[in-house]
Amino acid sequence: MSAATRRLTTAQALVRFLAAQYTERDGVRHRLIAGTWGIFGHGNVAGLGQALVQYADVMPYHQGRSEQAMVHAAVGHARQLNRLSAQAVTTSIGPGATNLVTGAALATINRLPVLLLPGDYFASHAADPLLQQLEHPTEADVSVNDTLRPVSRYFDRVTRPEALIASALQAMRVLTDPAETGAVTLALPQDVQAEAYDWPEEFFADRVWRVRRPAPDPVELAEAVRAVRAAERPLIVAGGGIHHSEAEEALKALVDATGVPVASTQAGKGALRHDHPADLGGVGHTGTAVSDDLARTADLVIGVGTRYSDFTTASGTLFQRPDVRFLNLNITAFDAHKLAARTLVCDARTGLTALTEALSGHRVDASYEAEYRAGKARWDETVAAAFRAGDDSAVPTQTQVLGALDAVVGDEDVVINAAGSLPGDLHKLWRARSPRQYHLEYGYSCMGYEIPAALGVQQAAPGTPVWALVGDGTYLMNPTEIVTAVQENLPVKLVLVQNHGYASIGGLSESVGAERFGTDYRHRAADGTFTGAPLPVDLAANAASLGMDVLRAKTVGELREALRAARAADRPTCVYVETDPAPPTVPPAEAWWDVPVAEVSAREAATEARAEYERAVADRRRHL
């Protein structure tokens, strides 16, 4: 007797398969593909579109407005759930597919799982050339979907129905592998989506993908213990891998036992609560004074779950002690070997627990502990001064906006940001109260991430207050998912900060001799100069036109009341505030960042910037 089969189209089979996939870690099971985002066109409407209608009872569907934004929403969902659950995104062929590239790059760089299902040309070439098909004169099998290859951790074009079986299993393997995960792309020719096949019933059976917690190698562990015991000034750099592994309590246990202080990357902030005596805040170019001071004098840097971006290392200038060495605990060998480090290739929680047990009885010198605690106390005073509200009738600065929000949020709130001047302010100043409160996408630092990511987080954590902090530049990049928030009644809170230009890149432009060129939102005169008058653009009215409730705040006092009202709201709500750009109340950068400056120029500003650049770059080190 032949094995049981079920006759379905390829798209129908894929939806049924995805609905039966689960992850499991520490005995807790999660749905792997929790839902599918989609915008339909001729490349997917008859295939996946029809399948999602047919199986709406097992696969939730979310209607997006921008293909890139749908990926951002899926990434926010996956991060909130520690990569144990993901979402799929389907698009048509052509521009719908290529609009996925930015989101895919963001997912892969940040090691966050998302399944991309773009439509593709006819596998049979029956209709050739197809509307929106890229015709390559020497490679007939190339389509625009090939742009997704370099930004995907796994890519396949499913040109026959039966090919889906092996491809779908490989896709799930990569999505659930903590060392390999990122964007996964299955390009689906539209004729194949609609083609029927007799699928084995086993393909639709519930399947559990166990997320591993690999233990450290005993030899590597012994070497790591010797390195920590020998160090006089060790410093932990906490990265996002701590959150992905749910290793926050394991980190705290190590720190409580040994007294080793912790500085955090953008992705790792919140690994320790802000008021823990060993939590020193952010590290690197946007780090705190106490973190960066200790980093310069550390003799052992213990990186946990970090990939050491140039912001973290201050472009190779931060870790300046001549005999500094590195010990990297990371589930990915590629990252563990960075900076010529001793390696501990393992799960963050498993590795930290093993390290704590092996270091029993070891503690840093009391004088070192007293030093960093005093530095932390000084920085806490700096933060308090920056957040201080002052006159309630005054126009707030950006830091006062953060201070007002800090006073309103609870431990469970999630604060989302990605680009502009806010990431630097948040990394220095935000007081994270729980592991998931601080949600900064700084691997790709993608403008337009915040609003759609807030939707994904809200879906993953119903009932949790979710805040998307955006500047005017970021808002103009990608506000469209506000409509989706209204449609699905997702009560996200948007804090829209209007400063009439690209504040972050404007400051950078000035520092490298480009004189803030092209970074203002102002009227331009006929001779090309700016008149100084702000554009008559009303972003609050725009948000309201998309369906949000909008609260306008002109003063510090009004801002505080608006934030309280937004937090209590049960539908999408925007707090709009125009900020006073001067004087800045954020401490300046504590460490350098390498942005090359013109070596020769006829402009004095660029010449002066080059001289400063050459002084700074002389401090760069190659750690070997």
Side-chain angles (χ1 to χ4, degrees), residues 3-268:
T5 61
R6 191 185 312 186
R7 190 161 184 81
L8 300 173
T9 69
T10 303
Q12 292 162 2
L14 177 57
V15 171
R16 291 294 308 183
F17 170 83
L18 294 177
Q21 307 305 302
Y22 297 87
T23 63
E24 185 175 285
R25 186 170 69 181
D26 304 328
V28 180
R29 188 168 295 189
H30 300 262
R31 173 115 177 223
L32 175 52
I33 304 299
T36 299
W37 289 87
I39 296 176
F40 296 111
H42 70 98
N44 64 343
V45 66
L48 276 170
Q50 187 280 326
L52 287 167
V53 171
Q54 182 166 322
Y55 295 122
D57 58 328
V58 296
M59 179 58 67
Y61 166 71
H62 309 293
Q63 184 176 357
R65 269 72 195 177
S66 154
E67 291 87 359
Q68 181 186 137
M70 293 193 297
V71 186
H72 293 338
V75 166
H77 177 276
R79 178 170 171 173
Q80 180 68 21
L81 294 177
N82 302 316
R83 308 192 299 189
L84 297 172
S85 181
Q87 292 177 320
V89 177
T90 179
T91 71
S92 183
I93 69 169
T98 52
N99 284 347
L100 296 172
V101 173
T102 296
L106 181 148
T108 296
I109 286 171
N110 286 285
R111 320 290 167 81
L112 292 166
V114 61
L115 177 62
L116 307 180
L117 304 172
D120 213 324
Y121 58 63
F122 279 51
S124 64
H125 291 274
D128 190 36
L130 189 69
L131 175 65
Q132 299 178 324
Q133 180 179 338
L134 175 72
E135 291 186 276
H136 195 286
T138 60
E139 297 180 74
D141 63 341
V142 169
S143 84
V144 295
N145 288 340
D146 289 283
T147 59
L148 288 160
R149 288 181 184 271
V151 293
S152 297
R153 295 296 291 176
Y154 179 80
F155 179 98
D156 194 15
R157 179 174 286 113
V158 183
T159 57
R160 291 291 308 144
E162 60 268 32
L164 177 66
I165 295 174
S167 185
L169 291 170
Q170 287 293 335
M172 299 305 104
R173 176 191 64 80
V174 175
L175 287 173
T176 57
D177 187 327
E180 294 294 328
T181 195
V184 168
T185 300
L186 298 182
L188 301 171
Q190 58 181 296
D191 55 344
V192 176
Q193 288 182 49
E195 188 174 346
Y197 181 74
D198 293 324
W199 303 89
E201 281 290 347
E202 292 86 350
F203 188 56
F204 308 116
D206 286 0
R207 189 180 301 268
V208 178
W209 300 84
R210 287 183 172 82
V211 180
R212 297 182 295 276
R213 287 196 181 277
D217 176 82
V219 174
E220 286 193 335
L221 179 60
E223 290 180 350
V225 169
R226 283 194 291 271
V228 176
R229 288 188 180 275
E232 295 179 349
R233 300 179 64 82
L235 174 67
I236 293 171
V237 173
I242 291 175
H243 294 308
H244 299 328
S245 176
E246 298 175 283
E248 296 89 358
E249 286 301 315
L251 175 66
K252 182 177 181 297
L254 174 65
V255 171
D256 288 345
T258 64
V260 178
V262 176
S264 56
T265 69
Q266 285 279 18

Side-chain angles (χ1 to χ4, degrees), residues 552-602:
R552 295 177 184 255
K554 296 182 179 179
T555 67
V556 170
E558 290 177 2
L559 172 64
R560 195 180 302 114
E561 291 305 313
L563 292 171
R564 289 196 186 102
R567 189 173 189 273
D570 61 0
R571 69 178 313 276
T573 302
C574 170
V575 175
Y576 173 85
V577 57
E578 293 199 37
T579 56
D580 180 0
T585 55
V586 182
E590 299 289 339
W592 186 60
W593 181 44
D594 189 352
V595 178
V597 178
E599 192 168 1
V600 295
S601 175

